[in-house]
Structure formats: C-alpha cells, structure tokens
Amino acid sequence: MKKFTALVIVLTMALGLVLSGCGSSDKLVLNVYNWGEYISDGSDDSLDTIKAFEEWYEQEYGTPITVNYTTYASNEDMYNKLSSGAVSYDVIIPSDYMIARMAEEGMLQPLNFDNIPNYQYIDDSFKGLYYDAEDKYTVPYTYGVVGIIYDANVVDEADVGGWDLMWNEKYADSILQYNNSRDAFGTAMYKLGIDVNTTDMDQWQRACDELIAQRPLVKSYVMDEIYNMMESGEAAVSSYYAGDYFTMQEAQADHVDLKFYYPEPTNFFIDAMCIPTCAQNKELAEIFINFMLSEEAAIANAEYINYASPNKIVYENEAYIEDMGPEAMEILYPELGNFSELYNKYAYRSLDVQMLDHLNTLWETIKIN
C-alpha cells in the first residue's frame, strides 16, 4: 500500500496503454504495475532496482530488456484498470483482499516457483494465508499494520490513543480520511468494534453513519496527497500505513512534529507480487519477482519504502537493522512470531459481489453527504 512515485522511468498514461510484453525483436519489455513510491528508485542515494534488474538481465541472458513501470493509488484503481481489459501488465502488487478477489475471478496466473528459487527466503508466517491458501499465485512483497499519524505540536497528548482521535471535534478541518471505501470503513468499524468482514448490512450501515458523522470534521479524503498535507502541517491527524509514517517524518517541516501509534484493534495487511492473466511474458515476470527477492534488491526496497519485509534476508540483516534504528524496527516488526494469528483476526477479506455493491452505494452516500 502506498506512496506517490518519483521514478524517472514512469510512463505517461498514453504510453501505459501501449503495453506489449515481449513482442519487440530487439528488446524484451516487462510491464510492471505497482503502488506509487513502492520500490527503490535511485533517489536519495538508493539503489535503482529497476535499472539494476535491466542491467543484470542483459548481463545474465545477453538480451536487452526494458521495464515499463507505472503506478496506481489504490487496489480499486488497479482492479478497475485490469478488469477493463484495456491494458496488459506482467507483474502487479495488490493487497491481500484484492488478491483473493482477483484469484476468484480468474484474473491471476499460477506461478512457476522453479523460476523463483528465492521464495525460500519468505518467512513461513506469510505462507498459507487466506488470500492464497495454497501459495499458488503470490510472493509476499511487504506487510504492515495501520496506525494513526498525528502532529504532536497540534494534538494534545491526552487525546492520543484509540480511533477516537479521528472523530475528535477539537481537530475539525485538520483530520484526513482515506479516499477508498475499504480503508475508510475499516477506521469506523474498528472504532465501533464491528467485524470488518461482516456480512450484516445493518453493521455496515452503522459504520456508514459513523463516517457521515465524521464528515464535517474531515479536511480532505486522500491517498497519496497525505504526504504533502501531513509533512507541511496542513493537516494534523490521519490514519495510514505504518511504513509511510517514516517517509513523512523524514520530510516534515520544521514546525511539524509527527508521531505515530497503533490503535486497537487495527488492520494487518500484506501486499504481494502476482502475475495477471493478461501478462504477455510470464517467465520473464517470474525472473523479475525472483530478482526482487535477492539480497541487494530486497534490502534496498525495504529501506527505501520503509515497509516491513517478509523476507528473512532483510529483517535478519544486521546492517539493515542498524540503519533502520530501534524505533523503526519496533513499529515495523511488531510481534513477528505472532503475525499470522493477528493477521487472520484483523485482515480484510474479499467481499462478495452483493456486499461490494452495497459498500460502494454506502461510500457514495458518504462522499456526497
């Protein structure tokens, strides 16, 4: 889940519609579709993992390759683009509940793990989970926990704790809310103690009413816009993904003092690398996935995007642990040994079509209220 990209190699939308797999006679083309700022791109002295893959592949196989890398802001945006049939991608990195939906709808290809030997480094806690119980379609890329970010120069310490902060009238017009239905409803449902995967429409209506009550307090509904707004002090309270807190903290203005905490309960999530059925170069996609699990690339990605890695090569690396520091390790890797239990309890599940239609209707009601 995540951030707004600064990759130099990002294509324009027009080019993104001309995705072509491996049809070129002179050069292979791999089309990758990912969250914004969700890969180490060479900025801030980081490793450009896309360029590194291109160079490694040409050296290893003697064939030039170009990676066309484009980004999306939400799982729903990604799903709508692929389900429209207008474009083709070779590698995508959705979140768990969307993976379950896409697999159920036949939108994902089974992986050939013979081409992904580095899969052995994925911690067993991240295998056999509900969204891919047979470990057939996915390779975990990152995981995390949703928390609340706040400006300590604005928010009173006595108000910190739990989900109530996002409904505190004292901070009206300084609160940000997700601009996607599942995460926004999650904040209300966790606050009310409602199962985020309930099929009881009355419970969804309760959550809707809670979000409508919050509406006058909300400055803006955001995704990638959260960075500038929290870093600049334009807003003071927002729920977001733990890894992004460190990115915002590093870029915060002098008059801003961003802090973070986990409300209870909260969402646990996994984003994973997959190959959609529209992919035109499956084997090349698997080689790319394997490269992203290799030591240099995996550590570079984890350090750059500030998300927790399910890759043992990363979180057991002493230099990585030292570079991240104790606060980051404590926030990013909470109770790793207990992850599967917490994940199974609080992660989003894929909703059936009827519930999705109902959710979308409720979401529209909130946005126009």
Side-chain angles (χ1 to χ4, degrees):
M1 289 184 182
K2 334 312 177 117
K3 318 174 203 172
F4 192 75
T5 187
L7 280 173
V8 176
I9 58 173
V10 173
L11 298 179
T12 64
M13 181 61 71
L15 286 176
L17 296 175
V18 192
L19 301 168
S20 60
C22 57
S24 170
S25 59
D26 298 321
K27 182 178 289 189
L28 293 173
V29 176
L30 184 73
N31 300 301
V32 178
Y33 199 28
N34 194 7
W35 298 87
E37 269 190 49
Y38 215 34
I39 198 168
S40 181
D41 64 4
S43 61
D44 299 326
D45 297 322
S46 65
L47 174 70
D48 186 336
T49 53
I50 295 292
K51 182 178 180 181
F53 172 73
E54 292 172 334
E55 292 175 347
W56 170 84
Y57 188 90
E58 183 172 1
Q59 182 177 8
E60 186 76 11
Y61 295 96
T63 304
I65 182 173
T66 293
V67 176
N68 290 336
Y69 187 96
T70 53
T71 66
Y72 52 87
S74 73
N75 284 292
E76 289 69 25
D77 288 348
M78 178 275 303
Y79 172 84
N80 290 335
K81 178 78 74 71
L82 265 72
S83 62
S84 72
V87 293
S88 173
Y89 294 97
D90 299 303
V91 179
I92 57 174
I93 308 183
S95 300
D96 37 30
Y97 73 92
M98 186 57 71
I99 290 169
R101 178 181 181 182
M102 296 178 75
E104 184 177 344
E105 295 180 9
M107 295 177 66
L108 300 178
Q109 297 191 49
L111 301 177
N112 178 0
F113 285 92
D114 289 342
N115 294 326
I116 313 174
N118 288 336
Y119 182 71
Q120 65 182 301
Y121 301 122
I122 297 297
D123 189 282
D124 288 342
S125 297
F126 301 91
K127 298 177 181 178
L129 298 175
Y130 88 90
Y131 64 91
D132 187 11
E134 298 179 2
D135 298 318
K136 186 176 180 180
Y137 300 106
T138 62
V139 172
Y141 182 64
T142 63
Y143 74 98
V145 188
V146 168
I148 292 179
I149 304 169
Y150 66 97
D151 185 349
N153 288 338
V154 176
V155 175
D156 294 336
E157 194 65 27
D159 296 328
V160 171
W163 289 100
D164 289 344
L165 180 59
M166 292 189 63
W167 275 259
N168 192 320
E169 295 181 1
K170 188 187 301 185
Y171 308 108
D173 204 38
S174 291
I175 297 170
L176 302 179
Q177 178 59 279
Y178 291 102
N179 193 23
N180 78 72
S181 57
R182 200 69 197 273
D183 280 326
F185 269 85
T187 64
M189 298 173 93
Y190 289 125
K191 177 179 183 287
L192 296 172
I194 297 173
D195 179 0
V196 292
N197 301 300
T198 184
T199 58
D200 184 339
M201 291 190 178
D202 289 340
Q203 295 288 62
W204 284 96
Q205 185 61 54
R206 282 185 62 206
C208 180
D209 292 342
E210 193 75 6
L211 290 171
I212 290 173
Q214 183 197 40
R215 183 70 180 90
L217 310 178
V218 174
K219 182 178 185 66
S220 184
Y221 290 85
V222 300
M223 291 303 294
D224 293 334
E225 305 93 333
I226 187 176
Y227 295 95
N228 288 334
M229 296 181 76
M230 292 298 292
E231 291 164 3
S232 67
E234 185 179 350
V237 177
S238 185
S239 172
Y240 220 61
Y241 318 110
D244 298 315
Y245 158 63
F246 297 102
T247 300
M248 296 179 210
Q249 189 183 53
E250 290 170 1
Q252 67 187 6
D254 291 341
H255 66 282
V256 175
D257 183 17
L258 295 180
K259 302 292 184 184
F260 179 93
Y261 69 90
Y262 288 123
E264 294 183 4
T266 191
N267 178 240
F268 283 65
F269 64 85
I270 295 172
D271 293 341
M273 295 179 280
C274 313
I275 299 177
T277 52
C278 64
Q280 299 186 36
N281 201 330
K282 181 174 181 287
E283 183 174 349
L284 184 57
E286 290 163 345
I287 293 171
F288 176 85
I289 291 171
N290 189 65
F291 182 85
M292 290 300 153
L293 297 178
S294 63
E295 183 173 19
E296 186 177 22
I299 291 175
N301 286 333
E303 287 185 333
Y304 180 78
I305 66 179
N306 288 321
Y307 273 67
S309 174
N311 190 330
K312 290 181 281 189
I313 286 179
V314 175
Y315 66 77
E316 292 179 353
N317 183 279
E318 293 184 5
Y320 168 77
I321 294 171
E322 183 177 349
D323 288 345
M324 296 301 292
E327 180 192 15
M329 294 301 294
E330 182 178 350
I331 289 176
L332 293 178
Y333 296 91
E335 303 182 63
L336 180 62
N338 197 37
F339 179 83
S340 59
E341 179 182 340
L342 294 170
Y343 175 84
N344 287 331
K345 188 174 183 179
Y346 296 121
Y348 299 146
R349 302 298 200 270
S350 177
L351 302 174
D352 63 29
V353 174
Q354 183 181 13
M355 284 306 309
L356 284 171
D357 288 344
H358 185 61
L359 173 57
N360 290 335
T361 299
L362 294 177
W363 182 237
E364 290 303 315
T365 300
I366 294 163
K367 296 298 289 292
I368 65 175
N369 200 284

